């Protein structure tokens, strides 16, 4: 084959979208746009209390009541371990969380403090109002279907070959 020759297009495969079509129909771009539009509505509540969104997710996870180890927090909150270490340090400095002794000294276990619980209670009321507003505008049935489909997409994507590739996560909104 000549070095300047272009490969023959595969008639079985649709052409790769370009330009505006790509940005309007791209899965990754659509997910990012939806995430950004949604998160903007919640970020103002965290900002008002000098919290980042990842810090808010950690408080939210701990507010369920039981102390959690770092690995569980990473998984539930979609945060990489190095970022979680910084987040836990910042929350502990503000006395919003506290360490809990555990059976294994290597496992870092934390719990929410009374000050953290009070902050959580103030923020959850505000954020729940926004969540209900979005759900009412989008439609409760459509919202449940969307959440189910996104969870299914995650499971399917993780099961694909190469699905264990470690990269950045949703935490990159400044931990």
């Amino acid at each position: 084959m000549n070095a300047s020759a272009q490969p023959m297009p595969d008639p079985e495969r649709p052409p790769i979208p370009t330009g505006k079509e790509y940005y309007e129909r791209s899965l990754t771009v659509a997910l990012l746009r939806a995430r950004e539009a949604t998160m903007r509505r919640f970020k103002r509540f965290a900002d008002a209390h000098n919290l980042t969104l990842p810090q808010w997710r950690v408080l939210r996870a701990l507010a369920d009541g039981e102390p959690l180890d770092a690995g569980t927090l990473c998984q539930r909150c979609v945060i990489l371990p190095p970022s979680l270490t910084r987040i836990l340090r910042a929350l502990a400095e503000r006395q919003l969380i506290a360490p809990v002794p555990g059976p294994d000294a290597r496992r870092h276990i934390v719990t929410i403090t009374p000050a953290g619980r009070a902050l959580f209670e103030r923020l959850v009321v505000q954020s729940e109002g926004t969540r209900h507003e979005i759900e009412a505008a989008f439609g409760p049935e459509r919202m449940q279907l969307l959440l189910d489909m996104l969870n299914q997409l995650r499971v399917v994507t993780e099961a694909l070959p190469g699905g264990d590739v470690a990269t950045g996560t949703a935490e990159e909104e400044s931990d």
Side-chain angles (χ1 to χ4, degrees):
M1 179 196 260
N2 180 325
S4 64
Q6 296 292 321
M8 294 293 294
D10 181 351
E12 300 291 318
R13 179 176 278 181
I16 297 172
T18 60
K20 183 178 179 184
E21 181 186 3
Y22 168 77
Y23 291 101
E24 296 299 323
R25 302 301 302 170
S26 165
L27 173 63
T28 55
V29 172
L31 289 170
L32 284 169
R33 284 182 174 166
R35 178 187 184 280
E36 290 304 312
T38 304
M39 295 308 293
R40 268 194 305 272
R41 302 194 67 89
F42 292 96
K43 189 175 182 319
R44 59 191 165 138
F45 304 125
D47 286 349
H49 295 280
N50 199 28
L51 285 176
T52 65
L53 291 172
Q55 289 171 342
W56 165 243
R57 291 197 306 266
V58 168
L59 285 180
R60 178 69 185 93
L62 292 170
D64 286 339
E66 65 185 64
L68 297 173
D69 64 80
T72 302
L73 283 168
C74 283
Q75 185 176 20
R76 286 191 189 171
C77 301
V78 193
I79 297 173
L80 294 172
S83 295
L84 182 65
T85 300
R86 290 188 299 275
I87 291 165
L88 295 179
R89 187 179 317 119
L91 293 174
E93 287 171 1
R94 292 181 61 185
Q95 299 180 349
L96 300 174
I97 64 168
V100 174
D104 182 352
R106 294 173 295 176
R107 286 180 58 206
H108 189 71
I109 301 173
V110 295
T111 191
I112 195 166
T113 64
R117 167 85 48 203
L119 178 57
F120 167 77
E121 295 296 338
R122 286 193 305 273
L123 280 168
V124 77
V125 170
Q126 296 169 333
S127 67
E128 278 299 294
T130 297
R131 187 185 66 77
H132 288 296
E133 180 182 42
I134 292 169
E135 186 172 284
F138 191 66
E141 298 82 15
R142 289 176 64 206
M143 181 63 74
Q144 289 309 308
L145 178 61
L146 175 64
L147 293 172
D148 290 344
M149 292 175 73
L150 287 170
N151 284 318
Q152 291 169 6
L153 177 62
R154 178 185 50 82
V155 169
V156 167
T157 303
E158 287 174 348
L160 291 172
D164 60 345
V165 176
T167 60
T169 65
E171 72 194 67
E172 292 152 1
E173 62 260 353
S174 74
D175 55 38

